[in-house]
Amino acid sequence: MIRHQVYFDTLGSMQEDSVSWRSVFAGLSVLRLVDTYADAGSPAHAPGWEQLHAVRTAIEAVSEGDTIRGVLTAVLEEATKRGAIDDTVCASLLAYGRSLDYEASWGLATDVFATVAKLVRPEKNARLAVEANVLIGGAARRNGEWDTSARAYSQAAYIADTLGDKPGVLTVQVGIANTYLAKGNLPQAETILDDVIVQARDQNLPEVQGKAVHSRAVVAHRRGQHAEGLKLAHEALHLIQQPADRDFVLEDIAVLFSELGLRESARDAHMILTATGQTKLLRWTAAVNLMELAGLDGMEDAFDAYAKELADAPMGCGVRSHYLLFLGEGMARFGRVDEAENTLREAISFAEANQVHQVVFQAQKALSAVRTTPRSREAFVVPAAWTHEEIAPVVEAISNLRKAAVAAQ
């Protein structure tokens, strides 16, 4: 089988030399360079100047605002510095895979994580081996590759159990619970997660406990228990220290606030992410969500301010697709129908070129609604304020976090 087949398939489905095509091509170039180093066996058989130059050129063709450019540059620099593939290079590759995972490029992410799993030696670095397989399990699950996910979790559990890595064993259990969650088996997911929470608490493993509590918040959300989910997510935020993982919890908190109709609190959570998010991509995503909230709440000046700020931002294709979608929808809400039609057509064109299918569908639906709705500006209705006493502390805590984050800027 051809190595990195999913990359070739992805490139073949894209418009050549588009923003997303260049990003994927650069990733493939780096992975093939890693393969060359791994196969060489010694510096004497390391990649030549031509291949290194081609890889660097491919990376430099990626948009400057694309987080992929930075992580691929790190992989290239670490590999060339060492002249071989070691745990540091593998850790850099995992960072690249996580960037793909976050952008919902799950097939590509699975390939990157699998590359690391093949390169790392469990007897020398069990943590990295378990981490790579857990990441395969998660990305493959999100991509609907259930068998690949199950095998990866099984391998991770075997390595962790064999080497006595209790945090690793419990982390795998969280991944397995998330698989049940993805398949809709909420009772089984809840049972596993509750067990992990107890064990992690007893063994003083707050990071693992936090991940399990975060997943329990998602279970509650899926059941429509938004207030309970919000309390659990807030608990997870206190337990988790890893900044990137905290960002994901904050993102879910913002969603739960929106579900409860607490848009001001949702706005607070997104504002925290714009100020403290670990990646530019996440900060831009939060800003795009703030623009959407301004449109929903009839705040036209704020909507236009966010739109102007984001217009030329070199964001990734997924975020830019949503930006154009929300921009068009907001313009329609404010009665700017001609602008809305033009923007939604641009959203469809851009999303189609970059394979962001969900946005294509949503933008087509929005464009159809704009064309069939009478050209009159809808009166804005302020949503009813609602704060349950159980979640009032969460509302206050997120508000305080937002004030602290803004003050620190």
Side-chain angles (χ1 to χ4, degrees), residues 87-204:
D87 290 348
T88 301
V89 178
C90 286
S92 297
L93 277 172
L94 289 185
Y96 168 47
R98 285 193 182 91
S99 294
L100 293 169
D101 196 6
Y102 183 76
E103 292 184 350
S105 297
W106 298 309
L108 301 181
T110 300
D111 184 86
V112 174
F113 296 143
T115 298
V116 175
K118 291 173 184 175
L119 291 170
V120 71
R121 298 177 64 179
E123 67 275 13
K124 288 193 172 182
N125 195 331
R127 181 198 60 77
L128 195 60
V130 170
E131 184 179 8
N133 279 285
V134 167
L135 289 169
I136 293 170
R141 179 187 70 243
R142 286 183 280 277
N143 203 39
E145 300 175 45
W146 304 110
D147 291 341
T148 299
S149 177
R151 284 194 299 270
Y153 281 134
S154 178
Q155 180 67 8
Y158 173 76
I159 296 170
D161 189 53
T162 300
L163 299 175
D165 178 9
K166 191 61 178 178
V169 171
L170 292 177
T171 299
V172 172
Q173 289 300 306
V174 174
I176 292 171
N178 286 337
T179 297
Y180 282 112
L181 178 57
K183 290 183 175 181
N185 191 338
L186 302 185
Q188 186 64 27
E190 184 175 16
T191 298
I192 295 173
L193 291 169
D194 286 347
D195 182 58
V196 171
I197 290 168
V198 171
Q199 290 193 58
R201 183 186 299 124
D202 291 345
Q203 296 175 47
N204 193 28

Side-chain angles (χ1 to χ4, degrees), residues 9-151:
D9 293 341
T10 301
L11 288 169
S13 69
M14 290 177 165
Q15 180 178 317
E16 188 170 347
D17 207 38
S18 64
V19 173
S20 53
W21 187 94
R22 291 195 297 271
S23 181
V24 174
F25 180 74
L28 175 60
S29 300
V30 168
L31 287 172
R32 295 182 78 178
L33 178 69
V34 168
D35 292 340
T36 302
Y37 273 116
D39 294 343
S42 70
H45 298 91
W49 177 88
E50 296 85 354
Q51 184 177 6
L52 290 171
H53 177 70
V55 172
R56 197 173 297 278
T57 300
I59 293 174
E60 289 174 352
V62 178
S63 302
E64 288 189 10
D66 192 336
T67 54
I68 296 297
R69 177 170 174 155
V71 290
L72 288 179
T73 299
V75 176
L76 174 62
E77 296 302 330
E78 296 294 351
T80 53
K81 184 192 306 180
R82 289 163 172 74
I85 304 303
D86 62 5
D87 290 348
T88 301
V89 178
C90 286
S92 297
L93 277 172
L94 289 185
Y96 168 47
R98 285 193 182 91
S99 294
L100 293 169
D101 196 6
Y102 183 76
E103 292 184 350
S105 297
W106 298 309
L108 301 181
T110 300
D111 184 86
V112 174
F113 296 143
T115 298
V116 175
K118 291 173 184 175
L119 291 170
V120 71
R121 298 177 64 179
E123 67 275 13
K124 288 193 172 182
N125 195 331
R127 181 198 60 77
L128 195 60
V130 170
E131 184 179 8
N133 279 285
V134 167
L135 289 169
I136 293 170
R141 179 187 70 243
R142 286 183 280 277
N143 203 39
E145 300 175 45
W146 304 110
D147 291 341
T148 299
S149 177
R151 284 194 299 270

Side-chain angles (χ1 to χ4, degrees), residues 17-18 104 128 273 313 319 329 360:
D17 207 38
S18 64
L128 195 60
L273 289 171
V319 180
E329 290 178 334
V360 173

